Amino acid sequence: MTGKEIANILVQRLITEGFIVHRYNSHTTSSIYIKLDYGLSCGIRIADHPGKKKYSYRFNVIKDYVGDKVVIKDGLICRFFDFTELEKVIQAVKQEKQDKINKYGLQNYNKYMERESKDDLYTRFKKMEVKKK
């Protein structure tokens, strides 16, 4: 499978799980970036190559990934998955959201999402919708 196919599967599944999903396809690499609930439930990087050292993503889905599944980088927990582990990605993302709701409360989680939705980042990322069959 390609990164685009992986992204399409994840986007549709995450929307059906109740996430607000934004997607950005890199213009310079084959990487695809997905933001969840305006970043409150973090983001996913999908790629067929390692990422740039200066950037960190909570969830990384990398083709043929071999290595540590969890890395702490600059105090941020980064999780790594292979293209074959999409169910694990979905579960990890759902747990991230639940942990944030437990921490902030649902009302504050929604308020924080509203605030983050005004970020300029979302002029570059495209809001995704459920595909009609």
Side-chain angles (χ1 to χ4, degrees), residues 90-102:
I90 303 273
Q91 291 310 311
V93 168
K94 286 170 63 176
Q95 187 62 55
E96 179 75 24
K97 180 175 185 169
Q98 190 58 55
D99 290 348
K100 297 276 175 68
I101 289 171
N102 292 347

Side-chain angles (χ1 to χ4, degrees), residues 6-67:
I6 296 294
N8 291 340
I9 292 166
L10 284 175
V11 163
Q12 292 304 305
R13 280 289 308 280
L14 291 165
I15 291 170
T16 62
E17 293 286 349
F19 286 89
I20 297 170
V21 178
H22 287 81
R23 175 177 171 164
Y24 178 79
N25 295 351
S26 173
H27 298 293
T28 56
T29 69
S30 58
S31 296
I32 298 166
Y33 303 92
I34 297 172
K35 288 281 190 188
L36 304 166
D37 289 351
Y38 294 100
L40 253 67
S41 287
C42 302
I44 303 171
R45 177 179 174 266
I46 301 163
D48 57 7
H49 60 280
K52 294 180 179 169
K53 292 251 188 271
K54 65 180 178 174
Y55 298 119
S56 300
Y57 297 88
R58 174 70 50 124
F59 304 104
N60 299 271
V61 183
I62 301 172
K63 185 177 181 114
D64 302 324
Y65 180 76
V66 177

